[in-house]
Amino acid sequence: MNDDSQILIARLLTHQTLRRDDKMVKRVLSDDTFRAEVDKRLLESGLKLLDNVYADHVTLALHRAVEPKIFGAKDIWQNNNFGLTRDGVALLVVLWAQIILPKRERQETHTSIVDDQNDMFDKDNPIPRAEDTSVGISYTALLSDFGDKLGKKTRMDMNLGVLSKLNFIERRGDVIFEGPLLDLMMDTDVLKERIINGALADVFKRAPLAIARRRAPDAMAAALEEPLNESIDDTPTEGSHVPH
């Protein structure tokens, strides 16, 4: 095995995530030959490198081809190995919609969270980093908007603790921020479509996105009035993370 490939894979297995500005990560994202070597070695173990330009980290996940053999047959399918309960998965989806969707909009429009102004002249520049565009949400507001639908304070606090340990979120006082895995492990293409055209369809059809975001909690809370269905359980993650 190429020494650098071996070292990078071992580091990812050990640390779970690495920053995109890490020297070896930058190389695997820009050097096609090195990337092919890493991908080949990972595939031999049923794994893949998971990254996207909107996230500040990369991680490893199970390759789709091996998921059925790991998670079981269709009738007993386990969507991940995070051990999340149904209300925990629902909370994860809510946090993703509240944090990641607005962040993606800022990144795509090159809007800074510092001055919240559009950069009209630098659209060809690289997409801004997550840490420059991601805004946290208030725990108090989250509890007020969704507490009754997601098990009240005790259950929400327990699930937030689990999500924090899993690196989906980071808590700093009363504010909940994006963790290294929140924009990596969620199946964005599927979730965005289901949220915008599903739980939030009436909101997004009637109002501009900025207004819709402010009205989203009521719409999502209303959607959660119904029992959590299986579609929530089998769509949130891109594949399992690798325990360490």
Side-chain angles (χ1 to χ4, degrees):
M1 179 185 287
N2 178 283
D3 287 345
D4 287 346
S5 298
Q6 182 183 55
I7 291 170
L8 177 59
I9 293 172
R11 290 178 64 207
L12 283 165
L13 286 170
T14 302
H15 300 295
Q16 187 185 40
T17 63
L18 293 174
R19 289 186 59 88
R20 289 179 68 89
D21 56 12
D22 177 272
K23 182 178 180 180
M24 296 189 75
V25 173
K26 289 170 68 175
R27 180 183 171 192
V28 79
L29 295 177
S30 61
D31 184 333
D32 290 342
T33 301
F34 185 47
R35 177 63 180 264
E37 171 69 16
V38 171
D39 285 344
K40 177 178 180 294
R41 298 300 182 181
L42 288 172
L43 183 59
E44 290 172 350
S45 299
L47 301 173
K48 64 180 179 180
L49 182 68
L50 201 61
D51 77 278
N52 72 60
V53 296
Y54 299 98
D56 285 350
H57 297 78
V58 301
T59 189
L60 298 181
L62 285 177
H63 196 280
R64 288 291 190 190
V66 304
E67 284 186 7
K69 298 177 182 178
I70 303 301
F71 293 139
K74 183 71 174 179
D75 57 341
I76 57 171
W77 187 272
Q78 301 173 25
N79 72 295
N80 58 52
N81 70 348
F82 294 120
L84 293 173
T85 57
R86 292 168 70 84
D87 56 354
V89 174
L91 176 60
L92 176 60
V93 174
V94 167
L95 291 168
W96 178 88
Q98 294 275 307
I99 297 174
I100 299 303
L101 283 181
K103 183 199 76 170
R104 289 286 184 95
E105 183 190 15
R106 295 187 193 97
Q107 288 175 308
E108 290 172 356
T109 59
H110 291 240
T111 301
S112 169
I113 60 175
V114 176
D115 56 18
D116 201 29
Q117 296 293 318
N118 288 338
D119 184 350
M120 302 298 293
F121 304 102
D122 290 317
K123 299 302 183 184
D124 293 331
N125 285 348
I127 292 175
R129 296 176 302 174
E131 64 183 31
D132 295 327
T133 52
S134 186
V135 177
I137 61 173
S138 164
Y139 164 78
T140 302
L142 181 71
L143 182 61
S144 175
D145 290 334
F146 299 103
D148 289 343
K149 310 300 185 299
L150 296 175
K152 300 188 183 298
K153 186 178 188 302
T154 300
R155 289 290 300 178
M156 182 172 286
D157 286 347
M158 182 188 73
N159 285 322
L160 285 172
V162 173
L163 294 177
S164 180
K165 289 180 180 179
L166 291 173
N167 280 330
F168 279 111
I169 62 170
E170 294 179 359
R171 299 191 65 178
R172 305 172 199 167
D174 184 63
V175 184
I176 301 169
F177 290 92
E178 169 187 355
L181 293 182
L182 188 60
D183 201 6
L184 276 176
M185 298 301 293
M186 306 293 280
D187 194 336
T188 300
D189 292 338
V190 172
L191 274 179
K192 185 174 181 180
E193 180 71 15
R194 290 191 177 185
I195 288 175
I196 293 178
N197 295 316
L200 300 183
D202 57 339
V203 174
F204 283 103
K205 287 178 182 177
R206 292 198 306 265
L209 184 57
I211 298 175
R213 285 205 309 272
R214 292 196 293 270
R215 298 172 58 189
D218 289 339
M220 293 189 73
L224 290 172
E225 290 280 6
E226 298 297 325
L228 297 177
N229 56 45
E230 293 301 323
S231 65
I232 285 182
D233 279 326
D234 61 18
T235 59
T237 55
E238 286 275 358
S240 170
H241 80 296
V242 180
H244 65 285

